[in-house]
């Protein structure tokens, strides 16, 4: 397993002005972003709700590519597991065992594992403030401004 930070994508290094001044990998594979994707049929209701929420957000920012769909899928499955674990715990943090001792509710251990999975897959998609700070977005050109397009239509 590699040590240290994962490498930044070449596009991100170039947008930052290549601060390390190291040679850039110009043969890095690129994937086109997608505009939408249907949730897999096997996802349960909670995972499908997560997909319906996050997929349009990621697509609108041109972050999601066909190569990233498995990360979104894994994030949504982990989110569903997290929610279901909390439902099973039903607000209980501890359980009384038959022998009279108290132990942590097992569903909370599962919820913690699902939260870790959400953090990992969410990081790959830029779903936390810290992870978003690592993603560079190209600045919109003047032609991308919807207001300018409206003005052009009104004048033309």
């Amino acid at each position: 397993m590699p040590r240290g930070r994962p490498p930044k994508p070449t596009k991100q290094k170039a947008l930052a002005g290549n601060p390390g001044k190291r040679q850039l990998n110009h043969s890095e594979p690129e994937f086109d972003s997608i505009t939408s994707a249907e949730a897999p049929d096997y996802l349960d209701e909670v995972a499908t709700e997560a997909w319906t929420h996050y997929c349009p957000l990621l697509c609108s920012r041109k972050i999601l590519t066909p190569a990233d769909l498995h990360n979104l899928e894994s994030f949504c499955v982990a989110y569903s597991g997290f929610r279901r674990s909390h439902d099973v715990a039903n607000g209980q943090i501890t359980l009384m065992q038959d022998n009279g001792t108290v132990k942590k509710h097992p569903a909370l251990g599962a919820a913690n594992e699902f939260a870790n999975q959400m953090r990992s897959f969410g990081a790959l998609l830029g779903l936390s403030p810290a992870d978003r700070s690592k993603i560079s977005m190209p600045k919109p050109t003047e032609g991308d401004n919807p207001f300018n397009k409206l003005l052009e239509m009104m004048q033309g």
Side-chain angles (χ1 to χ4, degrees):
M1 177 178 261
R3 293 180 177 241
R5 291 182 175 180
K8 285 185 181 178
T10 299
K11 274 188 174 180
Q12 187 176 349
K13 288 180 191 176
L15 286 170
N18 192 13
K21 305 298 182 212
R22 293 185 179 96
Q23 186 173 0
L24 298 178
N25 177 4
H26 295 288
S27 60
E28 185 176 283
E30 288 189 35
F31 298 95
D32 292 332
S33 59
I34 57 176
T35 58
S36 68
E38 293 293 319
D41 291 337
Y42 78 87
L43 293 182
D44 67 20
E45 184 178 339
V46 175
T48 300
E49 286 175 15
W51 183 285
T52 303
H53 177 77
Y54 287 104
C55 186
L57 291 173
L58 295 168
C59 287
S60 71
R61 298 289 178 237
K62 299 183 179 181
I63 293 172
L64 201 58
T65 72
D68 302 314
L69 290 174
H70 69 284
N71 290 325
L72 178 58
E73 182 179 343
S74 297
F75 176 84
C76 294
V77 168
Y79 175 74
S80 176
F82 175 79
R83 292 271 310 274
R84 286 184 288 119
S85 296
H86 276 279
D87 288 346
V88 167
N90 196 27
Q92 295 180 2
I93 296 174
T94 59
L95 290 176
M96 181 70 70
Q97 298 186 88
D98 292 338
N99 65 5
T101 60
V102 177
K103 72 172 189 174
K104 178 180 169 184
H105 198 296
L108 297 181
N112 188 44
E113 179 60 34
F114 286 122
N116 287 334
Q117 291 175 18
M118 288 169 48
R119 210 172 359 268
S120 295
F121 291 109
L124 295 172
L125 298 166
L127 293 179
S128 77
D131 297 316
R132 279 192 297 280
S133 72
K134 298 173 189 172
I135 298 174
S136 297
M137 301 294 294
K139 296 194 189 280
T141 61
E142 195 171 313
D144 291 341
N145 185 332
F147 185 70
N148 286 343
K149 290 179 183 178
L150 178 63
L151 287 174
E152 288 174 17
M153 288 176 29
M154 292 174 67
Q155 293 173 354

